[in-house]
Amino acid sequence: MGELGMSQLIDNYGRKHRDLRVSLTDRCSLRCSYCMPHDFSDWLKSEHLLNTDELMLIIENAVAVGIEEVRLTGGEPLLRADIVEIVSRISSLPNAPKLSLTTNGLRLKELAKPLADAGLERINVSLDTLDRGRFKTLTYRDRIDDVFSGLSAARAAGLAPIKINAVLLQGVNDDEAPALLKWALAEGFSLRFIEQMPLDAGGIWNRETMVTAGVVLAALSKEFDLVAATDRGSSPAEEFFINGTQETVGIIASVTQPFCGACDRLRLTSDGQLRSCLFSLEEMDLRSVVRNPELSPAQIAQEISTRFHKTVAGKLPGHGINDVTFIQPRRPMSAIGG
Ligand code: SAM
Ligand code: SF4
């Protein structure tokens, strides 16, 4: 279908939605403290999770209504037994969307090559520290070596670019920004720091102690010459050129410098709920549509389209984290998809 024939997901503030973040599971192999408590047990019901066919039905129809980019996430997406099949089926769609995946990297050693062969091009790996002890403190698991071997496997499989996401926590790893950047540059990875957001299941987020983008930038600027890049587009990361080169470091200042005005993202949870924002208090049920035996494929397509458009029409101008009326969503980050 040509550009003119394509449906467009434009909201009341003129934002065109092209990017769908798809959570494949709320389960995880780590327990990053800023995401979920180590004894977390409030999992989604397994019978509510979309199976491969249901998921594909939604993604196919999402592409038909204007989605051009899909990022697979979670929880930990590589825990899905059908992850390679999902990647392969999305990559084989007519009008296939750009496809990427965000992972903690633990299973990349065995999966990087099959994923690349199935059509995955780009990958984001989350790593907050280079220190084994700190990694264990932060994630409750002694598995930093699996992340490093996963990264090597991703590079060997030709996944590129490899982006690293890091969250800094006061008193835990907030002195590590320059070391992480030196490491990422030496390894050829592209590093982005993410401000901690009030989305964790344990409710530990605290505005007074969160490490702000300003603090990260100041720490990096002591060791690197950083110049802000101008053309940011809809990217959540503000990029800075390093030491006069074309290499960059990104800072995602979701809390202190919200970028909602350029947001082009929607989110699908692993139990089939469509959200217009990480911080939405409302969801649109797509699971009941793809599970309705009385609907024909054409009716399912029509209903999914309607529900995407309704979700976009209900999108608020901003996330409201900095408003006194802010309410943290009931679903934590791990069950929405980061
Ligand atoms: N498990 C995968 C991973 O860790 O990359 C994918 C899901 S995780 C929720 C996606 C990203 O969200 C990670 O980079 C993680 O650091 C980030 N994240 C989780 N909780 C966060 C929070 N409260 N504030 C900011 N970023 C958070
Ligand atoms: Fe798991 Fe990712 Fe959350 Fe860490 S940030 S607990 S790896 S979902």
Side-chain angles (χ1 to χ4, degrees):
M1 223 184 299
E3 174 75 14
L4 284 176
M6 288 292 271
S7 160
Q8 296 201 337
L9 295 166
I10 300 178
D11 73 7
N12 295 331
Y13 305 91
R15 295 171 296 191
K16 184 174 167 188
H17 294 75
R18 300 184 173 89
D19 182 338
L20 182 65
R21 307 282 163 115
V22 177
S23 174
L24 296 180
T25 174
D26 60 327
R27 302 261 172 173
C28 193
S29 39
L30 295 181
R31 293 290 180 273
C32 306
S33 61
Y34 53 79
C35 185
M36 63 170 105
H38 66 93
D39 55 354
F40 185 73
S41 61
D42 190 12
W43 308 114
L44 296 173
K45 289 192 172 63
S46 54
E47 67 268 27
H48 287 170
L49 300 189
L50 300 175
N51 66 30
T52 325
D53 289 338
E54 292 165 346
L55 183 71
M56 287 309 301
L57 201 48
I58 294 176
I59 293 177
E60 259 176 69
N61 283 294
V63 170
V65 295
I67 290 297
E68 298 167 7
E69 188 162 350
V70 168
R71 171 173 296 280
L72 302 174
T73 180
E76 175 45 41
L78 300 190
L79 292 182
R80 281 279 293 232
D82 55 354
I83 183 66
V84 176
E85 182 189 350
I86 291 171
V87 166
S88 164
R89 287 178 65 175
I90 296 174
S91 317
S92 313
L93 287 175
N95 285 328
K98 278 194 231 160
L99 184 61
S100 55
L101 181 142
T102 301
T103 171
N104 63 25
L106 298 190
R107 294 202 66 215
L108 271 180
K109 189 175 175 187
E110 61 267 31
L111 283 173
K113 173 99 174 46
L115 288 169
D117 291 347
L120 186 68
E121 289 178 0
R122 296 170 305 136
I123 198 154
N124 284 20
V125 177
S126 302
L127 183 63
D128 306 320
T129 177
L130 302 172
D131 179 83
R132 172 189 299 276
R134 288 180 172 190
F135 185 90
K136 195 173 164 195
T137 305
L138 251 161
T139 68
Y140 265 82
R141 302 287 186 271
D142 188 10
R143 298 197 60 184
I144 197 168
D145 290 340
D146 292 322
V147 185
F148 290 136
S149 50
L151 282 167
S152 302
R155 184 164 35 208
L159 292 170
I162 298 176
K163 293 188 180 175
I164 305 291
N165 291 350
V167 175
L168 298 180
L169 299 184
Q170 199 178 77
V172 181
N173 61 342
D174 56 336
D175 58 351
E176 239 181 293
L180 277 163
L181 183 51
K182 277 179 207 155
W183 166 80
L185 289 170
E187 296 285 340
F189 303 143
S190 167
L191 177 65
R192 294 119 48 94
F193 292 96
I194 309 176
E195 276 184 346
Q196 185 188 5
M197 293 180 275
L199 272 177
D200 59 301
I204 66 163
W205 184 82
N206 179 342
R207 182 182 297 279
E208 305 307 318
T209 55
M210 64 165 281
V211 180
T212 64
V215 166
V216 177
L217 200 53
L220 292 176
S221 298
K222 283 188 188 154
E223 303 199 26
F224 301 91
D225 178 26
L226 300 179
V227 176
T230 43
D231 185 15
R232 180 171 178 177
S234 60
S235 167
E238 181 171 15
E239 298 287 341
F240 295 85
F241 290 112
I242 304 166
N243 296 341
T245 69
Q246 286 304 302
E247 288 175 309
T248 59
V249 59
I251 302 194
I252 303 183
S254 321
V255 178
T256 60
Q257 296 157 46
F259 35 81
C260 305
C263 180
D264 66 350
R265 292 173 283 284
L266 297 172
R267 294 170 192 273
L268 178 69
T269 66
S270 54
D271 57 348
Q273 309 301 305
L274 186 63
R275 303 172 61 90
S276 61
C277 174
L278 275 174
F279 295 92
S280 300
L281 299 176
E282 289 172 9
E283 300 182 334
M284 190 67 75
D285 183 19
L286 300 185
R287 183 179 74 234
S288 63
V289 178
V290 293
R291 288 193 180 171
N292 186 337
E294 290 174 7
L295 296 181
S296 68
Q299 287 169 320
I300 289 178
Q302 182 55 55
E303 194 53 38
I304 291 178
S305 168
T306 302
R307 292 185 187 210
F308 263 85
H309 283 97
K310 273 191 188 161
T311 300
V312 165
K315 181 156 170 158
L316 298 176
H319 56 42
I321 299 176
N322 300 311
D323 301 346
V324 278
T325 50
F326 174 70
I327 299 171
Q328 181 171 337
R330 185 183 48 82
R331 260 185 210 268
M333 176 75 121
S334 53
I336 298 173

